[in-house]
Amino acid sequence: LENFDVLKIRNDFPELSRTVHDRPLIYLDNAASTLKCRPVIDALNAHYSNEAANIHRGVHYLSEMGTIKYEETRKSIQHLINARNDYEVIFTKGTTESLNLVASSYGRKFLKKGDQILLSTLEHHSNIVPWQMIAEEVGAEVIEIPVNDLGEIDLTAYKILLNEKVAIVATNHISNSLGTINPIAEMIKLAHDVGAIYVVDAAQSISHEKIDVQNLDCDFLAFSSHKMFGPTGVGVLYGKEDLLNEMPPYQGGGDMIDVVSFEKTTYNTLPHKFEAGTPHIAGVIALKAAIDYINEIGLDTIKAWEHELLEYATEQLSKIDGLKIIGTSKEKTSVISFTMEGAHPHDIGTLLDRQGIAVRTGHHCTQPLMKRFNIPATTRASFSVYNTKEEVDALVAAIIKTKEFL
Ligand code: PMP
């Protein structure tokens, strides 16, 4: 990638200059959570040092200023995902809460006995369990859309499964375990053809792909701030206005009401109806700094660099004897999951950690997917825009050393 200065970007992430076990940190666990850039840290610090106050209810200076900044992040997300209105952007505490909100609120209002909910084998537990919970409550059925040997959703099977009983299809845009980029635009159209709504789990795609909710025509979309250089404890649920308006509140409390009386309580308008209680004000404000940072580098540049890292790492890792990459779709983001003959992922992860390399090992909250590939776990290296080819080389060398040791 020409004119791309990765060292300049690395300077924006203070944690990259630390050591772990006396080795320079090589952080390859970006699919779990990204590191935080300086502007995000500064925004958090500025809020807590100088601007802390509650929002939305106060007439005093700090409360009003906080409210303005909080709402600016909402606008910034509206532009990032091209939502029609800013009030279609609901703040939650993460993808998990966003998905639970939809399953619980939409599900309770609209799901009937005998309805079907389609989920793919690739789903994170947070896009499985909330649907199982509501399905059990209302008598609906959860059905699995299978994946092929490359780790791609089987579109032929999906088309066969679609019928007028399907009320909801919920899948991720990008798989956290394998990195597969799913053809959601096509899948959304097919779901709408049978009258189903489509829920997109964009936890893994929000910092890697341009997302246009109007163009995709998805009904809901969920993501987390901490996977896009922002603070933990903040997430987003986008929903189409007419659906959100029809849905009952998810939680009751302050801010989400219009008038409360013991006879009858009425609810606030969007987005406040779904934002009960004092939110993570500092986190939401700092999320705007993360979005500005992403926009400054540009998602096209981010994607191109990560793709270069993916191709290089795939090529280098494939040379290691006994190493098998799980998830070999051509449509992949910068995630490499692998197994190695004679070595348990947990041992690999521990020995890599001793060498300063952070990877993730385990089932990655996708147990059905592990079952599909007949493995208990993988080792997963996931790359972000601040990673380098030298770090890939260090990973490969460390795996070879680990392999000899085990
Ligand atoms: N879905 C996917 C695809 C994810 O990768 C994750 C995070 N690992 C989640 C959902 C859950 O996100 P959170 O833990 O931030 O709520």
Side-chain angles (χ1 to χ4, degrees), residues 31-44:
S33 200
T34 59
L35 302 179
K36 311 308 165 198
C37 55
R38 178 58 72 192
V40 167
I41 299 165
D42 288 347
L44 282 171

Side-chain angles (χ1 to χ4, degrees), residues 76-97:
S76 164
I77 290 166
Q78 179 198 355
H79 295 138
L80 181 72
I81 62 174
N82 193 32
R84 203 169 272 116
N85 305 294
D86 61 355
Y87 51 80
E88 292 174 310
V89 172
I90 314 287
F91 288 117
T92 64
K93 69 182 166 69
T95 307
T96 303
E97 188 174 48

Side-chain angles (χ1 to χ4, degrees), residues 31 94-96 99 124 126 172 174 176 201 203-204 224 226-227:
T95 307
T96 303
L99 294 170
H124 188 279
S126 65
N172 59 47
I174 294 181
N176 62 306
D201 168 359
Q204 290 298 331
S224 300
H226 71 93
K227 292 183 196 279

Side-chain angles (χ1 to χ4, degrees), residues 185-200:
E186 184 185 352
M187 293 181 72
I188 291 167
K189 270 198 200 80
L190 290 165
H192 286 165
D193 286 347
V194 297
I197 63 147
Y198 205 106
V199 182
V200 178

Side-chain angles (χ1 to χ4, degrees), residues 104-207:
S104 170
S105 169
Y106 183 91
R108 215 166 276 150
K109 174 88 183 259
F110 292 106
L111 278 177
K112 310 180 301 292
K113 193 169 169 24
D115 280 351
Q116 297 178 346
I117 303 166
L118 301 189
L119 315 173
S120 89
T121 312
L122 286 172
E123 298 322 304
H124 188 279
H125 296 163
S126 65
N127 199 26
I128 300 176
V129 184
W131 299 113
Q132 290 175 321
M133 286 161 61
I134 190 70
E136 190 173 354
E137 208 174 302
V138 302
E141 191 186 358
V142 171
I143 297 173
E144 182 179 355
I145 316 164
V147 301
N148 64 21
D149 290 341
L150 306 178
E152 298 167 330
I153 291 177
D154 181 341
L155 284 184
T156 310
Y158 175 56
K159 287 175 194 162
I160 293 169
L161 285 171
L162 282 171
N163 71 84
E164 70 285 354
K165 278 197 204 157
V166 177
I168 298 172
V169 181
T171 72
N172 59 47
H173 185 188
I174 294 181
S175 152
N176 62 306
S177 283
L178 308 183
T180 317
I181 304 172
N182 296 311
I184 53 167
E186 184 185 352
M187 293 181 72
I188 291 167
K189 270 198 200 80
L190 290 165
H192 286 165
D193 286 347
V194 297
I197 63 147
Y198 205 106
V199 182
V200 178
D201 168 359
Q204 290 298 331
S205 53
I206 192 68
S207 68

Side-chain angles (χ1 to χ4, degrees), residues 32-335:
S33 200
T34 59
L35 302 179
K36 311 308 165 198
C37 55
R38 178 58 72 192
V40 167
I41 299 165
D42 288 347
L44 282 171
N45 203 352
H47 178 80
Y48 285 130
S49 305
N50 206 32
E51 297 168 359
N54 212 333
I55 54 166
H56 285 152
R57 287 176 285 262
V59 291
H60 63 80
Y61 176 81
L62 287 174
S63 178
E64 282 183 350
M65 184 171 73
T67 305
I68 289 167
K69 285 195 170 180
Y70 187 90
E71 293 304 322
E72 273 173 3
T73 303
R74 204 187 302 277
K75 286 217 155 47
S76 164
I77 290 166
Q78 179 198 355
H79 295 138
L80 181 72
I81 62 174
N82 193 32
R84 203 169 272 116
N85 305 294
D86 61 355
Y87 51 80
E88 292 174 310
V89 172
I90 314 287
F91 288 117
T92 64
K93 69 182 166 69
T95 307
T96 303
E97 188 174 48
S98 299
L99 294 170
N100 274 279
L101 192 164
V102 181
S104 170
S105 169
Y106 183 91
R108 215 166 276 150
K109 174 88 183 259
F110 292 106
L111 278 177
K112 310 180 301 292
K113 193 169 169 24
D115 280 351
Q116 297 178 346
I117 303 166
L118 301 189
L119 315 173
S120 89
T121 312
L122 286 172
E123 298 322 304
H124 188 279
H125 296 163
S126 65
N127 199 26
I128 300 176
V129 184
W131 299 113
Q132 290 175 321
M133 286 161 61
I134 190 70
E136 190 173 354
E137 208 174 302
V138 302
E141 191 186 358
V142 171
I143 297 173
E144 182 179 355
I145 316 164
V147 301
N148 64 21
D149 290 341
L150 306 178
E152 298 167 330
I153 291 177
D154 181 341
L155 284 184
T156 310
Y158 175 56
K159 287 175 194 162
I160 293 169
L161 285 171
L162 282 171
N163 71 84
E164 70 285 354
K165 278 197 204 157
V166 177
I168 298 172
V169 181
T171 72
N172 59 47
H173 185 188
I174 294 181
S175 152
N176 62 306
S177 283
L178 308 183
T180 317
I181 304 172
N182 296 311
I184 53 167
E186 184 185 352
M187 293 181 72
I188 291 167
K189 270 198 200 80
L190 290 165
H192 286 165
D193 286 347
V194 297
I197 63 147
Y198 205 106
V199 182
V200 178
D201 168 359
Q204 290 298 331
S205 53
I206 192 68
S207 68
H208 303 280
E209 292 275 329
K210 275 210 172 96
I211 292 178
D212 180 329
V213 291
Q214 292 189 63
N215 208 6
L216 281 173
D217 199 27
C218 56
D219 299 283
F220 295 97
L221 182 115
F223 57 90
S224 300
S225 148
H226 71 93
K227 292 183 196 279
M228 55 192 298
F229 317 126
T232 52
V234 177
V236 167
L237 175 69
Y238 156 81
K240 283 182 181 165
E241 174 179 8
D242 52 344
L243 297 179
L244 290 171
N245 271 329
E246 291 293 316
M247 285 156 57
Y250 174 55
Q251 294 179 327
D255 256 2
M256 54 72 71
I257 50 87
D258 174 27
V259 177
V260 175
S261 75
F262 281 97
E263 290 72 42
K264 182 167 174 58
T265 289
T266 51
Y267 304 130
N268 205 337
T269 51
L270 294 175
H272 311 291
K273 184 172 89 174
F274 291 107
E275 292 182 4
T278 302
H280 186 357
I281 301 165
V284 168
I285 290 172
L287 172 57
K288 179 167 185 298
I291 296 168
D292 291 346
Y293 185 79
I294 289 172
N295 287 334
E296 214 172 285
I297 305 176
L299 271 168
D300 288 339
T301 303
I302 292 174
K303 197 175 162 176
W305 178 244
E306 288 174 347
H307 192 71
E308 227 175 284
L309 289 173
L310 172 71
E311 296 218 307
Y312 182 67
T314 305
E315 193 184 299
Q316 298 304 313
L317 287 168
S318 300
K319 290 181 188 160
I320 300 175
D321 221 22
L323 185 147
K324 183 173 176 218
I325 294 176
I326 311 289
T328 45
S329 172
K330 279 203 225 39
E331 298 298 326
K332 260 186 81 164
T333 189
S334 49
V335 170

